[in-house]
């Protein structure tokens, strides 16, 4: 059993292959979607008057390709990056119904947090005004404070216009967004991530659904 | 006999590939937004000190887990005028088995079916029929399809997927699930075999960062490995299990323990998996897992260590080192797993 690594020629190849993989590690991207953990339970909780929902899949690639990606990045004020923001990331939009009448949307996005990805869902009426804010996944030890309803209530009534001046890089804003208080100062990175995710979420919903612009053809986009 | 078996395998492989091709064609022409289709492919290569040669599988050449393969993962939702009412899932692949256990490498293609179920929303629970996860232990909700590290079900104590039906209901405090399946794993046999299982859990993992589950299983199950039937006669199964998952900051802890009778042998088994997400996006993960079990008179333990890296938008690379105490085997396996959205 006391063999040395030179007795395992395959190991050397594997180690070399892994080294090469990690050497190119900076060029990392990945397509990661964002679904409600349990749509039946969550839709009923977030939209008490709902009787049903439809699940719609879309992506920036499908809706407008590189052109749409540029538009979204410009509105966000920062380039998309990393595994949660590739052009082909599938986005799940829940259309909410009362009987056969559509009454709103629920949409979530993934966002890089302090200790891993966080998932920020917005509950929107048909005009795009936030009527609910919900952090699903967050593994931070301070997650409870950011998931608390008191924190979420600060977002109710806000729209994409309120977030237009929010600087997603510096984490600064003015007006209603600036008034949102961080309940966990120890988790400043996650607080900022939640605000960036909210702005990203609103922009994507505006582009995907609310502004109802015709789909633009572009290189890389599906027809 | 072997020839006809190989012929049947070939037919099954072609059938799987035809289904795949038809699905790809249909879904590409429809282009609806209520379905997802992914192409997947993986390469596996490693080295076993016991065999003193390269291996091209993660577990055993006869088992259904990671081998060089190509396949697809398809999900479709069905909706009416007031919302969704059903989901269809089909995940299958053609796997290349390179069996080098007995000297010269034997090579064959094999179709493998994982998810193959239809799930319906009812006023009460979700109800599914097809090939899905039995309601027992960590494997009932933790997706191990592409992972090198093994849950107890993948290790052989239960079935990662089984044919039959089940139901599940989520609550604000947790969930309950039950299943009645064939107790045969990937192949379908009717030799008086069956497996009933139920699990109740406390905590919603994605909200509470923990989930504690208790499971019970009862039936007469078959000893299978991949599509191979190892024993014609169903054997008694009476199992109780508990599992716990805790997520905190960058750490993930997963425990799974079961005890009782499995394949007519007194059995207990336990595993613990510690995961550490190195970066805030989970692109690089390090995991360690000891597993111990007693099955009849056989006592065994393994220790495994795995590094996973999401290298590109579609490519994950994993490397696992494992020490198997009873076989005194040191093995290293490298996996390239490609998963790309088609629609």
């Amino acid at each position: 059993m006391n063999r040395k690594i030179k007795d395992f020629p395959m190991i050397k190849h594997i180690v070399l292959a892994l080294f090469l993989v990690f050497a190119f590690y900076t060029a990392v991207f990945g397509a990661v979607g964002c679904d409600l953990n349990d749509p039946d339970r969550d839709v009923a909780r977030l939209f008490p008057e709902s009787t049903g929902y439809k699940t719609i899949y879309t992506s920036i690639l499908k809706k407008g390709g590189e052109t749409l990606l540029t538009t979204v990045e410009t509105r966000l004020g920062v380039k998309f990056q990393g595994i949660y923001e590739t052009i082909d990331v599938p986005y799940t939009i829940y259309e909410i119904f009362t009987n056969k009448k559509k009454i709103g949307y629920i949409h979530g996005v993934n966002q890089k947090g302090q200790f891993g990805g966080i998932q920020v869902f917005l509950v929107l009426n048909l005009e795009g005004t936030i009527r609910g804010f919900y952090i699903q996944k967050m593994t931070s030890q301070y997650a409870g404070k950011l998931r608390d309803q008191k924190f979420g209530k600060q977002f109710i009534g806000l729209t994409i216009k309120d977030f237009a001046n929010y600087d997603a890089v510096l984490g600064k804003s003015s007006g209603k967004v600036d008034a949102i208080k961080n309940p966990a100062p120890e988790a400043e990175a996650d607080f900022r991530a939640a605000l960036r995710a909210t702005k990203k979420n609103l922009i994507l919903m505006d582009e995907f659904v609310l502004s109802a612009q015709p789909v633009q053809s572009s290189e890389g986009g599906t027809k | 006999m072997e020839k006809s078996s190989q012929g049947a395998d070939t037919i099954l492989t072609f059938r799987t590939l035809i289904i795949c091709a038809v699905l790809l064609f249909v879904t590409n022409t429809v282009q609806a937004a209520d379905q997802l289709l992914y192409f997947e492919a993986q390469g596996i290569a490693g080295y076993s000190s016991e065999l003193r040669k390269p291996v091209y599988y993660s577990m055993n050449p006869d088992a259904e887990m990671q081998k060089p393969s190509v396949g697809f993962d398809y999900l479709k939702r069905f909706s009416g005028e007031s919302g969704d009412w059903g989901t269809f899932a089909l995940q299958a692949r053609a796997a290349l088995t390179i069996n080098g256990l007995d000297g010269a490498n034997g090579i064959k293609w094999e179709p493998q079916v994982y998810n193959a179920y239809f799930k319906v929303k009812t006023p009460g629970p979700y109800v599914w029929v097809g090939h899905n996860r039995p309601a027992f232990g960590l494997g009932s909700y933790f997706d191990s399809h592409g992972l090198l590290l093994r849950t107890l079900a993948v290790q052989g104590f239960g079935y990662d997927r089984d044919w039959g039906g089940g139901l599940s209901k989520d609550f604000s405090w947790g969930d309950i699930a039950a299943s009645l399946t064939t107790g045969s794993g990937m192949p379908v046999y009717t030799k008086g075999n069956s497996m009933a299982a139920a699990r109740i859990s406390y905590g919603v993992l994605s909200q509470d960062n923990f989930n504690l589950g208790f499971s019970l299983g009862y039936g007469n199950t078959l000893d299978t490995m991949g599509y191979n039937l190892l024993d014609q006669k169903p054997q008694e199964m009476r199992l109780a299990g508990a599992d716990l998952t805790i997520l905190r900051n960058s750490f993930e802890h997963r425990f799974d323990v079961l005890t009782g009778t499995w394949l007519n042998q007194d059995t207990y088994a336990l595993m613990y998996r510690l995961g550490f997400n190195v970066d805030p996006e989970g692109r690089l993960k390090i995991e360690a897992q000891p597993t111990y079990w007693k099955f009849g008179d056989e006592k065994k333990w393994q220790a495994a260590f795995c590094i996973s890296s999401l290298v590109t938008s579609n490519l994950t690379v994993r490397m696992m080192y494992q020490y198997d105490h009873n076989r005194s085997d040191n093995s290293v396996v490298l996996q390239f797993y490609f998963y790309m959205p088609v629609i």
Side-chain angles (χ1 to χ4, degrees), chain B residues 172-187:
Chain B
S172 60
W173 50 266
D175 62 86
I176 56 174
S179 63
L180 180 61
T181 54
T182 57
S184 59
M186 285 176 67

Side-chain angles (χ1 to χ4, degrees), chain A residues 45-65:
Chain A
R45 179 170 56 84
L46 299 169
F47 256 109
E49 70 271 38
S50 67
T51 57
Y53 64 89
K54 278 186 186 175
T55 308
I56 307 292
Y57 302 112
T58 191
S59 70
I60 290 177
L61 185 65
K62 282 181 189 174
K63 279 292 199 178

Side-chain angles (χ1 to χ4, degrees), chain A residues 29 38 41 53 55 136 147, chain B residues 84 170-171 206-207 249 312:
Chain A
F29 302 97
D38 180 64
R41 178 186 58 199
Y53 64 89
T55 308
Q136 184 171 254
R147 282 194 176 120
Chain B
D84 295 349
D170 292 309
F171 301 93
S206 64
Q207 294 171 35
N249 294 341
T312 73

